[in-house]
Amino acid sequence: MQFQPWPVGAYNSRHVAIAQQHILTCDHQKHRYCEYAKMPATTLKKLFTSPLHALRSFSGIPGPTLLAMVLPGLLLACATVNAQLNELRDIEDSVIKIYTTQAVPDYFTPWRLLTPRQSSGSGAVIDGNRILTNAHVVANASYVQAQKYNDPRRYQAQVTFVSHEADLALITVDDADFFSDLSALQIGDLPKPLAEVSVYGYPIGGKTLSITKGILSRVEQQLYAHAGTYLLAGQIDAAINPGNSGGPVIVNNEIVGVVMQANGGGRAENLGYFVPPSIIRHVLKDSKDGVLDGFPDLGFRTQSLDSPAAKKALGLEENQSGVQVIKVFEDTPVEGVLMENDVILGIDDYSIADDGTIKLSQDLLTDYKHIIDMHHIGENLSISFSRSGKVQTVDILAQKAHENYGLVRGERFDEIPQYLIYGGILFVPLNMNLIKRWGNDWSRSAPISLLKARTEWSSPQRQELVVALQVLAADVNLGYHDWRNWVVNFVNGEPVQDFKHFARLLQSNKQEFIVFENNNGYQIVINHSEAIKSEASILSQYKIPAAHSANLFDAEKD
């Protein structure tokens, strides 16, 4: 671009001051040539060394004339820089610090809460006076506050929508003044690999906003640490620390991700993960009616087909690829449609490779599950599959996922745990909340019998396991005082379906004794009438407010 020189005398000392500031910036950043003035930076620096009334001549051109030639470009440079700074300030203003008080239930003593703790995270203002953040920032929160950039005041906030499986949440502030001077950030598109991104947030170690830069290194399905779901995620090499969670990942002034977790394996440094735009948009659409539908699950499980022998045995041609169906669950969209040992060749317009990946773009391969994830409840999917060498295509209606497909339910949040005390024995359902109560090293410290159950599928006849967690010593349970973490499979010979069924068996019992039995034949025998009579004294002795969790039996009557 060529700049027209100004008439000599059309500038003033303010113009010169602005230009001088630009020259200082060039010098500080070690720019040897100023593109806007079209001359070496050293020449510019000399040009402005003298006061305005004593400008020297260079190359035979009087100083004032030369100044008039370069000022338009320099002032444009300053205007460009100012515009960029204003955009940066808008982003900074829209990044919110979130304070929470979290009271987590104690699954070892499920009638009480653990000691409340305070934590903080980050969020970003989006349309509709909403703040987008992580679900784990506000999970089990009893009190939430939001604080604006460079504002000491904390505003009380409310959680309006949570998707724990996507680790995303929406909160808002009732005070109308909170959003009056804030700009809503837009959701952008996933950047290309090796693109530079900026991570905004309020990590620990300081009170002010932190901005770090990194490179998008890869995008693929990852295990989300919060709820254990397997969804698309982006990986960046920017440092992510506690407090960064929920902060936006920015490219071109748009949100291209929400920071969710750092690498937790201890083997890689400065690696972090973010929720990508496709998952964000799915959750935002889901939130429109205020009811969580979540991501659909069609009700089958597969394994890869890297083995040529396995492919041939299943009737595939050499040029065909896909994944083998190993399990079809009852009461799901594909029950009666797919069978075990079918081979899924493609979903919608995407072919599935033998390792279970699909090609989303020239640069992006990921697990085929992502295509199912991107559908909403009530939408149709097209599935192409091979059965004994014959290819078929069917349309499947996406439906809500079952509560759990394995015997051990995934981790839950924002709810009170279930329990039942009978004969001084504390019974609870087996779930990941309980298993993780053994600490960060739960995979090695939790009882093996409980961990083993994680590998077993559920069925309508056996949906959940019940655990005799501990025995509250009393006369009624004499002989069993040291029994703990014991799975109950039968009550008086009847198989236990789930925890509510277990509670109903005890409530409706008419026999003199209750016999609890596991699959190995070991038994706990309790006198039923003695259990009823001793209940009040046991609760009083161990300072327990109730013999069972609220609504445990009421829910059965509804």
Side-chain angles (χ1 to χ4, degrees), residues 204-245:
I204 59 172
K207 295 184 178 181
T208 58
L209 180 66
S210 169
I211 306 172
T212 57
K213 290 188 180 295
I215 299 296
L216 176 63
S217 51
R218 63 180 168 187
V219 178
E220 61 183 8
Q221 301 286 115
Q222 292 282 350
L223 190 68
Y224 280 33
H226 175 55
T229 44
Y230 191 59
L231 296 171
L232 194 70
Q235 177 183 294
I236 52 179
D237 63 358
I240 294 177
N241 297 301
N244 267 125
S245 294

Side-chain angles (χ1 to χ4, degrees), residues 521-533:
Y522 290 95
Q523 298 180 354
I524 293 177
V525 180
I526 299 293
N527 184 291
H528 184 61
S529 61
E530 291 299 320
I532 300 300
K533 283 190 281 187

Side-chain angles (χ1 to χ4, degrees), residues 92 202 343 433 445 500:
E92 291 175 340
Y202 292 90
V343 178
N433 295 81
S445 57
K500 290 182 179 179

Side-chain angles (χ1 to χ4, degrees), residues 49 128 200 260 325 335 411 439:
T49 299
Y200 289 71
M260 63 168 172
V325 177
E335 183 187 13
E411 190 172 8

Side-chain angles (χ1 to χ4, degrees), residues 283-429:
V283 172
L284 292 179
K285 183 176 180 180
D286 190 6
S287 71
K288 287 183 177 180
D289 61 359
V291 177
L292 176 66
D293 291 326
F295 296 87
D297 191 301
L298 302 185
F300 65 89
R301 296 295 181 265
T302 62
Q303 73 173 42
S304 60
L305 266 181
D306 295 315
S307 166
K311 292 177 65 175
K312 189 173 182 180
L314 293 169
L316 293 188
E317 302 290 340
E318 288 187 6
N319 62 343
Q320 290 180 309
S321 63
V323 288
Q324 179 183 356
V325 177
I326 61 169
K327 178 69 176 178
V328 176
F329 293 98
E330 297 180 47
D331 193 26
T332 64
V334 297
E335 183 187 13
V337 178
L338 293 181
M339 298 173 57
E340 294 178 8
N341 295 324
D342 285 348
V343 178
I344 308 296
L345 306 174
I347 298 179
D348 290 343
D349 297 324
Y350 296 90
S351 298
I352 301 176
D354 291 331
D355 63 354
T357 60
I358 56 171
K359 194 170 187 177
L360 287 180
S361 68
Q362 192 65 32
D363 305 310
L364 180 55
L365 287 176
T366 194
D367 193 277
Y368 76 88
K369 177 180 176 295
H370 179 67
I371 297 304
I372 301 174
D373 293 335
M374 287 300 93
H375 282 275
H376 289 269
I377 307 304
E379 296 179 352
N380 279 317
L381 298 85
S382 175
I383 295 182
S384 175
F385 67 95
S386 171
R387 178 177 296 163
S388 301
K390 182 179 179 181
V391 177
Q392 305 177 49
T393 300
V394 294
D395 287 336
I396 301 294
L397 185 68
Q399 297 179 16
K400 275 190 175 184
H402 282 190
E403 187 170 339
N404 54 294
Y405 292 92
L407 281 180
V408 181
R409 192 193 70 183
E411 190 172 8
R412 294 291 186 86
F413 307 89
D414 307 315
E415 64 180 40
I416 300 300
Q418 292 181 318
Y419 74 93
L420 172 64
I421 295 174
Y422 175 84
I425 304 174
L426 171 61
F427 295 98
V428 296

Side-chain angles (χ1 to χ4, degrees), residues 3 14 76 98 120 124 138 149 163 172 216 220 227 373 375 377 391 471-473 482 528:
F3 301 106
R14 179 177 175 275
L76 177 62
I98 300 169
S120 66
V138 297
Y149 175 62
S163 171
T172 191
L216 176 63
E220 61 183 8
D373 293 335
H375 282 275
I377 307 304
V391 177
V471 177
L472 307 172
D482 59 347
H528 184 61

